[in-house]
């Protein structure tokens, strides 16, 4: 069930998303947040950091689980999602390192996937933040991913690698070929979903998610079957609704 909130622009989207996130954080003794990387959540994260600095919102009792991580990069590499999260959120809210979780992209990958899934089952995610790809992907679950998938290893599509090459080229490095992602079923276990999308490039995916058929060809369309989804979009991303 969707609660769709349409706002003017990215700043308004980020402020609105912050309200939803803060309500969950305030409502629990030990909130569990599912988090995302990418450009969509950065404004929300800036709001969380500003609020922490101004109002002292405490993150020492908060647990976080990220959607995905590249395979084969050292944790501290500048392009890992581990680094992205520390730079864009974790340092700014002073969350203890032992409270944050990302899939581990090194070592025994199958075991890492199973361990990650188990850790989330033990606590249950209170709110899962999502962006959406222009092809309807959520996490690294590209079109065609089974709706019953759990945390798993994915081979990145050539298009996705090309999209991300701009970050790796200056380092003289290749984009990794694989990643670990929460599966669709993993994402659906969260009590609440918060999806944010901005810009006309997302308009078709947003329309497909909300009004299209529920199909594995549009991974986000499965959210039609989730009981509590808040979608916050700017006018450009809402233009095909
Ligand atoms: C991020 C993730 C991706 C992004 C999506 C949108 O952890 O799993 O699904 O949410 O690709 O990316 P942006 O926000 O950069 O447009």
């Amino acid at each position: 069930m969707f609660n769709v909130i349409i706002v003017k622009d990215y700043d308004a989207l980020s402020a609105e998303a912050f309200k939803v996130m803060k309500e969950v954080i305030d409502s629990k003794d030990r909130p569990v947040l599912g988090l995302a990387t990418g450009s969509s959540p950065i404004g929300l994260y800036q709001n969380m950091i500003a609020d922490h600095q101004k109002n002292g919102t405490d993150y020492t009792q908060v647990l976080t689980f990220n959607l995905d991580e590249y395979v084969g990069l050292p944790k501290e590499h500048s392009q890992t999602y581990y680094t992205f999260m520390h730079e864009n959120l974790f340092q700014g809210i002073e969350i203890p390192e032992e409270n944050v979780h990302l899939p581990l992209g090194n070592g025994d990958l199958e075991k890492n996937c199973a361990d990650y899934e188990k850790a989330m089952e033990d606590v249950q995610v209170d709110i899962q933040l999502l962006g959406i790809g222009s092809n309807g992907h959520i996490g690294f679950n590209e079109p065609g991913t089974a709706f019953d998938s759990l945390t798993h290893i994915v081979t990145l599509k050539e298009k996705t690698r090309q999209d991300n090459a701009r970050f790796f080229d200056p380092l003289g490095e290749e984009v990794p070929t694989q990643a670990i992602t929460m599966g669709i079923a993993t994402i659906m276990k969260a009590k609440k979903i918060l999806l944010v999308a901005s810009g006309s490039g997302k308009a078709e995916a947003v329309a497909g998610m909300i009004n299209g058929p529920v199909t594995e060809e549009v991974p986000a369309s499965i959210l039609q079957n989730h009981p509590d989804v808040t979608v916050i979009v700017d006018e450009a991303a809402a233009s095909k609704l």
Side-chain angles (χ1 to χ4, degrees):
M1 177 109 94
F2 290 115
N3 171 26
V4 182
I5 301 172
I6 302 173
V7 296
K8 193 157 178 42
D9 55 20
Y10 183 72
D11 284 349
L13 173 155
S14 302
E16 205 59 41
F18 171 68
K19 280 189 216 157
V20 176
M21 185 61 89
K22 182 79 163 78
E23 200 177 300
V24 173
I25 293 169
D26 288 346
S27 70
K28 304 269 300 191
D29 289 338
R30 279 186 76 76
V32 182
L33 314 181
L35 299 176
T37 58
S39 49
S40 307
I42 288 180
L44 161 62
Y45 293 160
Q46 286 169 350
N47 276 274
M48 290 168 75
I49 292 169
D51 164 70
H52 171 72
Q53 287 169 351
K54 188 160 167 253
N55 305 316
T57 299
D58 178 28
Y59 286 87
T60 59
Q61 301 305 311
V62 173
L63 296 181
T64 70
F65 287 87
N66 262 80
L67 281 169
D68 40 20
E69 179 59 285
Y70 286 120
V71 163
L73 298 180
K75 228 175 170 181
E76 272 84 21
H77 187 283
S78 65
Q79 295 308 317
T80 58
Y81 291 167
Y82 174 90
T83 298
F84 176 99
M85 290 307 301
H86 282 77
E87 287 177 351
N88 288 288
L89 181 66
F90 296 153
Q91 284 163 6
I93 58 173
E94 298 176 276
I95 187 166
E97 184 60 25
E98 62 271 23
N99 294 17
V100 310
H101 305 81
L102 289 100
L104 277 179
N106 292 294
D108 183 342
L109 300 179
E110 293 290 352
K111 180 173 182 306
N112 295 352
C113 291
D115 288 351
Y116 202 64
E117 193 68 36
K118 172 81 174 57
M120 267 177 292
E121 256 165 40
D122 288 347
V123 290
Q124 197 187 18
V125 172
D126 291 304
I127 181 167
Q128 176 66 54
L129 174 64
L130 296 175
I132 183 171
S134 53
N135 63 1
H137 75 218
I138 47 177
F140 266 125
N141 297 290
E142 299 289 356
T145 306
F147 280 157
D148 63 0
S149 55
L150 298 174
T151 301
H152 63 288
I153 304 159
V154 288
T155 299
L156 299 181
K157 289 234 165 27
E158 206 35 52
K159 170 80 173 69
T160 307
R161 294 190 65 230
Q162 282 165 12
D163 286 349
N164 294 353
R166 65 187 189 280
F167 302 115
F168 287 86
D169 286 348
L171 307 171
E173 291 178 28
E174 297 271 314
V175 182
T177 54
Q178 290 184 312
I180 293 183
T181 182
M182 287 187 197
I184 306 267
T186 320
I187 292 169
M188 289 292 281
K189 286 183 199 169
K191 277 187 215 152
K192 180 178 183 70
I193 307 264
L194 169 61
L195 186 143
V196 289
S198 161
S200 57
K202 300 293 173 71
E204 202 159 320
V206 168
M209 164 178 75
I210 294 175
N211 296 325
V214 176
T215 163
E216 289 178 353
E217 289 315 307
V218 183
S221 65
I222 190 68
L223 299 176
Q224 291 179 27
N225 294 344
H226 192 284
D228 184 359
V229 185
T230 298
V231 177
I232 307 179
V233 282
D234 62 13
E235 284 171 3
S239 59
K240 295 201 169 159
L241 286 177

